[in-house]
Amino acid sequence: SLTQSRHSRHLGACAAALECFGDLGDSGDLAVAAEQLRVARRELGRITGHVGAEDVLDIIFRDFCVGK
């Protein structure tokens, strides 16, 4: 179904971000590691319905052209 496809896509993106995080190892850049964790959390939030301030702002700027 559509929901299962959407969940699969978000889980795949989450897994990819976590894999990138894991590939950084102990010598990785802390900012890059934090970004990968943020991406993973956002993808899981899209499945669970948790919407953060970044998501709302992205929609506003994308759909309503505010600030351009």
Side-chain angles (χ1 to χ4, degrees):
S1 77
L2 180 60
T3 302
Q4 290 173 341
S5 174
R6 182 178 65 84
H7 289 177
S8 178
R9 186 175 69 247
H10 291 306
L11 282 175
C14 177
L18 290 174
E19 186 174 338
C20 288
F21 172 77
D23 289 344
L24 291 172
D26 292 335
S27 63
D29 183 6
L30 187 58
V32 174
E35 175 64 12
Q36 293 305 318
L37 290 176
R38 187 189 68 78
V39 168
R41 183 199 57 83
R42 184 185 70 214
E43 294 298 329
L44 285 178
R46 288 181 173 167
I47 294 171
T48 63
H50 181 295
V51 178
E54 279 184 23
D55 297 320
V56 172
L57 289 174
D58 286 344
I59 292 168
I60 290 171
F61 282 101
R62 183 187 69 225
D63 294 348
F64 300 105
C65 300
V66 173
K68 288 185 179 181

